[in-house]
Amino acid sequence: MPEQRRILRTAIPGPQSKAWHDRRQHSVATGFAATLPVYVEHAGGGIIVDADGNHLIDFASGIAVTSVGASAPAVVSRVQEQAARFTHTCFMVTGYDGFVEVAEALNRLTPGDHAKKTALFTTGAEAVENAVKIARVATRRPAIVVLDHAYHGRTLLTMSMTAKNVPYKDGFGPFAPEVYRAPFPYPYRWPGGPEQAAEQALDRLRDIVTSQLGPDRVAAVVVEPIQGEGGFIVPPAGYLPGLREFTEHHGILLIADEVQTGLARTGDLFACDDESVVPDLICTAKALGGGLPISAVTGRASLMDAVPPGGIGGTYAGNPLACAAALGVLETIEQQDLTGRARAIQAAALPRLRDLANRRPAIGEARGRGAMLAVEFVQPGTTAPAPELARQVAERCHAEGVLVLVCGTYGNVIRLLPPLVIDDDLLADGLSVLEAAVAATDG
Ligand code: PLZ
C-alpha cells in the first residue's frame, strides 16, 4: 500500500501526467470527461499515486467503488487466485462456485428476511435496466415511475430514467417510453420548506400514480434511497416508509437503486436499512466489486423467478474474477467493520462541514450520511446555485492534492466519497484542504 500521506512533488498535473493526457487527446473520444487529468500509477487505502509520484488524497473512490480501498488484500489475492484457475466460462453456459456464493451472500445481506434470489450483471445501469425488465414481467404492467434529480445510468432505458439533461441526455433521444417522473423531496430546495417535503412529495407521487397513470399500469417506482449524482440529497425521515406503504397498497414494486449507496457507504450495509425499508428489488454495483465490474439485482424469489430461463443474462454477467473480488469485498466489510467505519467518518467530517457551512455564506448546506457527504454552494445570501464556485473550490482542492468530485442537478455540490479504509489523519488533512479552498475562493 502506498505511504498514507499527501505528497506533492510536482504541480498537479505533473509532466508525466501531462504527456499521457496529450496522447489521450489524440486517441480517446472526447465524450469521456476528465475530472482531474492525472494518470494513476498505483493506489490503496486513502491515497492515489500518480505518474509523477504525487500522493493524492482520494475523496472519490472512483465514484463510490473502492470502498475497501483500491488494492484491498482480500480482493487482490482472491482475484489472483481466480485468474489462475480460469478467467471466464459464461455463467449461462457452464457455472462456477463464485457466482452462487455471491448470490447467496446478497440474498442473506440485503434488507428483508423473505425468500430472495439474485441475478448478477456487470454495470450499475445493467442492474437497474434488468430490475425494470423483471418488474414488468412479474407485474405484467408497463409504466415505471422515477424521481426528479434521479441518476440511473447511460443506457437508453436508464438514461431515460435519469433526470438531468446535460450531459446525460442532450442529443441522445428519442428516449424509452413509459417512464414517468414525480418530485423527490429535496429538503434544502423544497418550496414549502423541509418539514413539508416528505408529505408533499408523497402527495404528488400518489396523485400522479392514481390520477394520471392508473395504479394498475405501474410496474415499479425506482428510487435512490439517498440520491447520488443528483446532489447527495437525503430524503427526510418518513419519505421512504411512505413510498413503501403506497406502492405495496397498489401492488407496485419498490426498486431501490443502491448502486451508489450500497455496501456500507452510508453507515449501514444498505441505505434502506436506516428506516428499515424493505424494497421488492434492490440494485447493487460499484462497491460490490471493489473495482472489478459486477452488479446485482436481488429480490423476492417469486418476482425474480417470473423471468423464464434465457430471459436475462449476458456474456460477462457475474464474471468469475468479479465474483472473486465481490467475495473479498464482503469479507473485508465484515472483518474491518466498514459500516462502523463509515459512521466514524460521518462523526469526524460532518460537524466540520456543518461548521464550514455556518461560517461561509457561499455554502447553503452541508449534508449526507456515513461516508457520503457533501456541501452545496449558493450565491451568498440566496439559495441560487453557484456551480462556478463549486468548480473553483474543486480545482483548488485538486491543485493541493485532494481529489473531490462535483455533482448535483445544478452542478453546485462538492461531494466526499472517501474509501472507508481511509485513516483519520488523511481524512482530517483532506478536510483542511477543502476548508482552505472554500476560504480562498468564496471571497
Ligand atoms: N445508479 C444511483 O450512481 C452510477 C455515474 C458516473 P454504472 N453513478 C456514476 C457517470 O457519469 O457515468 C450510477 C448510480 C446510480 C446507477 C448508476 C449507473 O452505474 O455502473 O455507471 O452503469
Side-chain angles (χ1 to χ4, degrees):
M1 189 151 72
E3 187 183 349
Q4 296 294 296
R5 195 162 64 82
R6 182 166 60 102
I7 303 169
L8 298 182
R9 301 190 200 281
T10 68
I12 308 287
Q16 296 293 334
S17 282
K18 277 189 169 150
W20 277 111
H21 200 59
D22 190 50
R23 283 171 66 176
R24 165 197 175 129
Q25 311 283 29
H26 292 95
S27 56
V28 177
T30 44
F32 272 79
T35 299
L36 174 56
V38 301
Y39 287 71
V40 176
E41 207 40 55
H42 55 135
I47 286 290
I48 293 170
V49 182
D50 74 11
D52 296 284
N54 299 298
H55 285 217
L56 312 174
I57 297 180
D58 182 8
F59 276 179
S61 300
I63 322 192
V65 169
T66 53
S67 294
V68 297
S71 48
V75 173
V76 172
S77 64
R78 280 176 183 264
V79 171
Q80 282 172 336
E81 223 169 88
Q82 179 59 48
R85 280 175 72 206
F86 58 92
T87 55
H88 176 83
T89 70
C90 187
F91 191 74
M92 303 183 302
V93 178
T94 51
Y96 40 88
D97 48 10
F99 195 116
V100 178
E101 286 183 280
V102 173
E104 288 172 348
L106 287 171
N107 294 344
R108 179 166 48 83
L109 296 170
T110 48
D113 47 20
H114 51 278
K116 286 177 232 158
K117 286 203 169 176
T118 288
L120 299 181
F121 301 99
T122 308
T123 67
E126 232 189 326
V128 174
E129 184 135 0
N130 277 282
V132 170
K133 286 167 69 173
I134 293 164
R136 283 178 169 157
V137 168
T139 61
R140 306 199 168 282
R141 300 173 178 186
I144 301 297
V145 174
V146 293
L147 300 159
D148 286 342
H149 311 289
Y151 183 91
H152 296 296
R154 292 177 180 273
T155 61
L156 177 62
L157 177 58
T158 58
M159 166 180 68
S160 304
M161 295 166 66
T162 290
K164 188 174 175 174
N165 181 36
V166 177
Y168 306 125
K169 303 171 84 165
D170 196 30
F172 296 135
F175 303 112
E178 293 294 344
V179 175
Y180 303 92
R181 200 169 300 280
F184 188 81
Y186 191 157
Y188 179 67
R189 297 192 172 278
W190 194 259
E195 299 77 28
Q196 306 299 317
E199 211 33 55
Q200 291 180 350
L202 283 170
D203 273 346
R204 284 290 300 131
L205 179 127
R206 288 188 283 245
D207 189 53
I208 289 167
V209 169
T210 50
S211 69
Q212 297 180 21
L213 306 178
D216 55 3
R217 283 189 64 252
V218 179
V221 175
V222 186
V223 62
E224 298 160 80
I226 296 176
Q227 289 189 320
E229 303 305 306
F232 280 31
I233 309 168
V234 186
Y239 175 75
L240 293 172
L243 199 54
R244 176 66 286 188
E245 194 188 321
F246 174 72
T247 48
E248 195 162 356
H249 180 73
H250 289 288
I252 297 168
L253 304 186
L254 183 64
I255 301 177
D257 178 347
E258 292 235 20
V259 166
Q260 189 151 167
T261 50
L263 284 312
R265 172 58 54 186
T266 63
D268 290 299
L269 210 41
F270 299 96
C272 280
D273 292 332
D274 183 60
E275 289 188 273
S276 304
V277 167
V278 179
D280 299 294
L281 302 175
I282 182 165
C283 302
T284 49
K286 288 189 184 278
L288 178 62
L292 274 86
I294 185 168
S295 65
V297 181
T298 302
R300 291 184 190 284
S302 56
L303 303 171
M304 296 296 294
D305 285 344
V307 180
I312 53 176
T315 305
Y316 295 114
N319 168 270
L321 299 176
C323 287
L327 293 171
V329 165
L330 295 171
E331 177 189 309
T332 306
I333 288 174
E334 199 189 324
Q335 283 182 356
Q336 301 189 15
D337 182 26
L338 292 186
T339 51
R341 187 62 203 144
R343 287 193 291 270
I345 290 171
Q346 171 178 337
L350 191 54
R352 284 182 68 169
L353 298 177
R354 290 218 164 110
D355 181 54
L356 187 66
N358 288 336
R359 283 185 290 113
R360 314 301 317 189
I363 298 181
E365 189 183 49
R367 59 176 176 254
R369 191 187 299 150
M372 187 169 180
L373 302 169
V375 285
E376 173 158 1
F377 288 84
V378 293
Q379 313 290 348
T382 76
T383 59
E388 187 53 25
L389 205 53
R391 196 186 59 75
Q392 285 170 9
V393 171
E395 266 177 16
R396 264 183 205 273
C397 290
H398 297 167
E400 294 297 323
V402 178
L403 176 58
V404 295
L405 302 174
V406 169
C407 68
T409 294
Y410 313 108
N412 65 328
V413 176
I414 288 186
R415 56 174 154 175
L416 308 183
L417 284 167
L420 303 178
V421 294
I422 193 171
D423 74 38
D424 293 338
D425 291 344
L426 269 188
L427 179 66
D429 184 29
L431 288 167
S432 300
V433 168
L434 174 65
E435 288 160 352
V438 175
T441 311
D442 75 356

